Amino acid sequence: VRQYLQTHRASRFQITRHVSRAGFDDNPDEAQVVRDRAGFRRRDSNTGEVEDLIFVETFRTEICVGHSHQFVRKILHERGYLVREAPHWTIKPRSLPEMPTGTRVYCIRAAILEDAE
């Protein structure tokens, strides 16, 4: 998961609310071009923490390729990187650009990029 985010985060994750390419502020970069979108990047308004919101199918077929997605999400949860809405392993953000209401995504804390495990 860490390797996927390190490789694809800048190009495949659309920045939303309070996040810009130069850093984090209240003016998202409207010029961002995202090809083959895998999800979104946002700043949690309650904690201030950056999170990557990954489409369920992308998580299963690209990020977890060669591994059980159930096992990967369990390990992410145990290590404190997965934000979830129990009993689900995913969250349902209030709104995502160009996505239907109720879209569920895996929410990975950006702290995964800082830890060197």
Side-chain angles (χ1 to χ4, degrees):
V1 175
R2 181 179 296 119
Q3 187 273 332
Y4 184 91
L5 291 174
Q6 288 170 336
T7 303
H8 299 291
R9 192 175 197 220
S11 63
R12 296 196 59 197
F13 288 80
Q14 183 177 346
I15 297 169
T16 65
R17 298 180 337 160
H18 310 298
V19 182
S20 72
R21 285 194 176 281
F24 299 95
D25 57 32
D26 290 328
N27 300 310
D29 183 354
E30 299 297 332
Q32 180 191 17
V33 176
V34 178
R35 298 190 198 308
D36 302 319
R37 182 171 55 192
F40 300 89
R41 187 171 9 146
R42 73 172 186 185
R43 180 183 291 276
D44 182 295
S45 58
N46 295 320
T47 66
E49 182 175 26
V50 176
E51 300 169 330
D52 293 292
L53 308 178
I54 304 169
F55 297 134
V56 171
E57 198 59 31
T58 301
F59 184 80
R60 291 179 181 167
T61 61
E62 293 184 36
I63 295 177
C64 297
V65 68
H67 303 284
S68 160
H69 74 277
Q70 293 98 336
F71 177 74
V72 173
R73 70 186 183 195
K74 179 181 178 223
I75 296 299
L76 288 170
H77 177 65
E78 288 173 358
R79 294 185 180 184
Y81 298 130
L82 181 68
V83 177
R84 59 184 281 208
E85 295 170 347
H88 303 281
W89 290 92
T90 56
I91 67 166
K92 191 184 329 180
R94 274 188 252 153
S95 66
L96 294 173
E98 304 168 11
M99 301 303 297
T101 302
T103 298
R104 288 202 162 271
V105 292
Y106 285 99
C107 180
I108 308 297
R109 295 177 53 237
I112 194 171
L113 299 171
E114 299 164 7
D115 293 341
E117 291 181 29

